[in-house]
Amino acid sequence: MSATSVLHTPVPLEQARSAATNEPALMRWLLIALALIFLTLFLFIPLASVFYEALKKGGDVYLKALQEPDALSAIQLTLITAAIAVPANLVFGVAAAWAIAKFEFRGKSVLITLIDLPFAVSPVISGLIYVLLFGAQGWFGPWLQAHDIKIIFAVPGIVLATVFVTFPFVARELIPLMQAQGAEEEEAAVALGASGWQTLWRVTLPNVKWGLVYGVILCNARAMGEFGAVSVVSGHIRGMTNTMPLHVEILYNEYNFAAAFAVASILALLALVTLAAKSFVEWRFGHDQQTSIEEHAA
Amino acid sequence: MGATRQILLTRHSVLPGFGLALGFTLLYLSLIVLIPLSATFFKTATMGWGAFWEAVTTPRVLASLRLTFGASLIAALINAVFGLLVAWVLVRYRFFGKRLIDALVDLPFALPTAVAGIALTTLYATNGLIGHWLDQYGIKVAFTPLGIVVALTFIGLPFVVRTVQPVLEDIEAELEEAAACLGANRLQTFVRIILPAIGPALLTGFALAFARAIGEYGSVVFIAGNMPMISEIAPLLIITKLEQYDYAGATAIAVVMLVISFLLLLAINLLQWWSSNRTKSNR
């Protein structure tokens, strides 16, 4: 439920403040020091410790932990899951934003709230709901068993749970962006004879490309890192239904700390790449906004 | 498609694809979110009220709910105070590495919770870097309820910073200059001028951090110790009940948590509506 993750333009550097509206230097340094101590304790040391613990026993142990067959299959399953969940939610996000931003209809605000719903649900409950539907004692359990289809404790369940927890990411970036841009450009394209698909490909999507990329980056990070929901539906079968975060848990609970942190360090690296990409997109988006403002002014 | 247009659309549009886009949106939303979520409520409905009440009022369930909400509340309060401080420092002051730190504040959004969990546990265990130091003063963090608060503080950290930051950036310097001219000192200006202006955003950030903490599982299970009645959070109890094939018991706890989460979501939406109305009327 990160209402805060919506793409916004970075603001220009702070203007110089006069002495009357600024704190004394001592107070300033005290506040900065306090904030940095808090962030160091809760953010920087934990992040650094992941890499420290991973490499503590040397590069050989590190590489061996990553080349182990179970680790490789966990990496593979994580990639497969994200490769299905992210495009599925991308298509949904574009469709939902098209309907919501370009048309006026009844019940729109209810629909927007419902799209955000998965962010308000505990990851564990996100897994539980699919167990209630497709588990052995679930609604469709007997039918699935009769037809020899496995969803829970198998890959389809993991994909479903991941799709659920990453459901709103792309839609919630695109909806406000496309609402702000209005429908004039699309209406002009249609009036000039473009088909609906041409309008979507040539006009709408290029206009929202940074919002789209932003949503996909966040969606992908969550899809690859999800733990709680996937843990409920996975069944933790080594080499079969373990994603990377679940593999980290198993290794850690076996007191194989070096290997656990080695796999964790890949996920931490992914998080850092995500943050870097996110900052880049925010910067580019701000840059484009600036140029378009200047173009309009000229 | 034509029928959907006529029934739902309140304003005619020349753009095509409304029926297809809305139809797909509703179908996907129903299949992935609405129908599965409603399964929890149908499941509890088949239990009957008496069995449901019995399931959610056992001492173990009550203890886990109390712990989940108590720890989440403390963590959200810590984040409200320090999140405001971090936002303030990032908006108002210049210092070395500010941009990097600003980007890293979002780390808890991006870092998988299991990774955060094992990192915090290793650090705050009695033989860990921070835990070892705290242990000398007799403070044990890992495998106690205090550890849960630490994990929940970590995962809720960006919410307050990111909701307060833009509002703080928007406060006009003239407002504070006027206060200074009228003889207010900095503390008075902060309490009387700045705090009321960022109040709704601060409250929203607090509620978001609180709501996120209630459902959190991955970062907590490693550090909590998971002792029934002492350090067992509600999401973990759901998993324990599922592993014992007590689907009804697990679902009953889930329904209690869902209802509270939805109420919180409603409160957050109202807060954001209030806060955006305020900024609009100020302009």
Side-chain angles (χ1 to χ4, degrees):
Chain A
M1 36 184 358
S2 43
T4 47
S5 68
V6 172
L7 183 53
H8 65 277
T9 36
V11 285
L13 283 172
E14 70 282 356
Q15 67 269 51
R17 307 185 71 87
S18 60
T21 57
N22 208 343
E23 287 73 46
L26 185 68
M27 186 71 182
R28 282 208 301 270
W29 289 117
L30 195 72
L31 290 176
I32 293 174
L34 257 177
L36 289 183
I37 290 171
F38 173 74
L39 289 178
T40 306
L41 278 178
F42 280 93
L43 272 190
F44 306 143
I45 296 183
L47 178 64
S49 79
V50 174
F51 295 102
Y52 172 75
E53 296 284 339
L55 295 166
K56 200 163 70 174
K57 295 212 171 131
D60 293 347
V61 179
Y62 181 80
L63 289 176
K64 229 176 119 188
L66 294 180
Q67 285 162 353
E68 196 213 353
D70 287 345
L72 287 177
S73 82
I75 293 172
Q76 196 186 358
L77 181 58
T78 295
L79 293 176
I80 291 172
T81 307
I84 300 171
V86 176
N89 285 331
L90 174 65
V91 171
F92 162 73
V94 172
W98 181 267
I100 290 172
K102 305 294 176 194
F103 300 92
E104 292 301 322
F105 58 92
R106 288 185 198 94
K108 193 192 263 192
S109 55
V110 177
L111 182 59
I112 296 177
T113 310
L114 288 178
I115 289 173
D116 262 352
L117 214 53
F119 278 159
V121 175
S122 168
V124 169
I125 299 176
S126 313
L128 167 78
I129 57 179
Y130 292 108
V131 175
L132 291 180
L133 284 185
F134 303 119
Q137 301 176 32
W139 284 356
F140 302 110
W143 187 88
L144 289 171
Q145 249 166 0
H147 291 80
D148 204 24
I149 305 169
K150 267 189 93 69
I151 292 185
I152 299 305
F153 304 151
V155 176
I158 293 174
V159 173
L160 270 176
T162 306
V163 169
F164 182 94
V165 294
T166 57
F167 186 86
F169 277 106
V170 179
R172 68 169 310 141
E173 295 302 330
L174 288 186
I175 292 168
L177 207 57
M178 278 167 65
Q179 274 181 325
Q181 286 175 348
E184 285 90 0
E185 289 187 37
E186 282 83 1
E187 281 162 7
V190 169
L192 291 170
S195 74
W197 293 111
Q198 282 174 324
T199 312
L200 180 70
W201 277 112
R202 303 243 178 116
V203 179
T204 309
L205 291 183
N207 270 342
V208 295
K209 61 174 184 290
W210 292 120
L212 199 81
V213 172
Y214 197 79
V216 166
I217 292 169
L218 296 180
C219 184
N220 179 63
R222 182 72 194 267
M224 290 189 169
E226 178 52 30
F227 178 73
V230 169
S231 166
V232 174
V233 294
S234 128
H236 303 91
I237 310 162
R238 279 187 94 135
M240 298 280 288
T241 61
N242 264 344
T243 59
M244 285 170 79
L246 296 178
H247 192 56
V248 169
E249 182 197 25
I250 289 188
L251 292 171
Y252 187 85
N253 287 342
E254 286 170 349
Y255 300 102
N256 192 351
F257 295 136
F261 276 102
V263 180
S265 74
I266 302 290
L267 289 168
L269 212 58
L270 170 77
L272 289 177
V273 170
T274 301
L275 290 185
K278 187 171 160 291
S279 300
F280 173 77
V281 171
E282 278 164 6
W283 172 75
R284 274 308 307 254
F285 180 70
H287 185 76
D288 284 7
Q289 290 282 70
Q290 203 61 39
T291 9
S292 87
I293 290 168
E294 276 157 19
E295 273 167 13
H296 278 284
Chain B
M1 194 166 151
T4 352
R5 282 186 87 102
Q6 272 160 22
I7 297 165
L8 284 164
L9 278 179
T10 53
R11 195 168 60 88
H12 183 72
S13 168
V14 295
L15 294 182
F18 175 68
L20 180 66
L22 188 67
F24 177 72
T25 302
L26 292 178
L27 179 73
Y28 190 77
L29 179 71
S30 306
L31 287 180
I32 299 288
V33 179
L34 300 182
I35 296 173
L37 264 184
S38 64
T40 54
F41 292 94
F42 285 117
K43 180 84 187 171
T44 36
T46 59
M47 281 174 83
W49 179 253
F52 170 78
W53 189 248
E54 208 170 298
V56 296
T57 51
T58 62
R60 189 170 169 190
V61 173
L62 283 179
S64 78
L65 287 171
R66 216 175 292 135
L67 175 69
T68 300
F69 286 96
S72 302
L73 189 68
I74 297 171
L77 283 172
I78 294 174
N79 275 324
V81 173
F82 283 94
L84 174 59
L85 175 69
V86 171
W88 179 270
V89 165
L90 285 176
V91 172
R92 295 285 170 122
Y93 306 144
R94 284 159 186 270
F95 53 92
F96 179 74
K98 181 167 132 167
R99 294 223 154 192
L100 184 68
I101 288 171
D102 191 13
L104 277 176
V105 164
D106 280 333
L107 183 73
F109 283 156
L111 193 69
T113 51
V115 177
I118 63 168
L120 290 171
T121 310
T122 308
L123 283 174
Y124 283 90
T126 43
N127 58 356
L129 186 66
I130 302 173
H132 174 70
W133 180 77
L134 287 172
D135 194 39
Q136 293 171 346
Y137 301 94
I139 305 168
K140 289 208 185 334
V141 179
F143 316 122
T144 71
L146 198 58
I148 301 175
V149 174
V150 168
L152 295 180
T153 306
F154 173 85
I155 56 118
L157 197 146
F159 289 102
V160 174
V161 181
R162 292 301 185 229
T163 45
V164 170
Q165 213 173 4
V167 184
L168 212 49
E169 277 161 358
D170 277 351
I171 293 180
E172 282 128 15
E174 287 84 353
L175 224 60
E176 289 168 52
E177 280 164 11
C181 288
L182 293 168
N185 62 32
R186 282 307 286 163
L187 187 66
Q188 283 173 322
T189 311
F190 180 78
V191 173
R192 298 262 181 102
I193 309 288
I194 297 170
L195 211 51
I198 58 174
L202 187 61
L203 216 55
T204 307
F206 167 81
L208 284 169
F210 182 58
R212 170 73 208 265
I214 288 171
E216 179 58 19
Y217 171 74
S219 60
V220 176
V221 279
F222 295 99
I223 203 169
N226 308 327
M227 303 252 297
M229 305 298 294
I230 298 167
S231 55
E232 183 181 54
I233 54 167
L236 176 69
L237 193 53
I238 293 178
I239 289 194
T240 310
K241 294 213 179 259
L242 270 181
E243 280 168 358
Q244 298 162 347
Y245 298 101
D246 180 8
Y247 283 24
T251 314
I253 305 173
V255 163
V256 172
M257 291 184 63
L258 277 177
V259 168
I260 296 167
S261 299
F262 292 161
L263 288 176
L264 266 170
L265 185 70
L266 190 72
I268 292 165
N269 280 341
L270 285 174
L271 270 171
Q272 281 175 337
W273 175 78
W274 176 39
S275 116
S276 72
N277 267 15
R278 273 176 57 126
T279 30
K280 265 181 216 151
S281 61
N282 281 343
R283 288 198 172 151

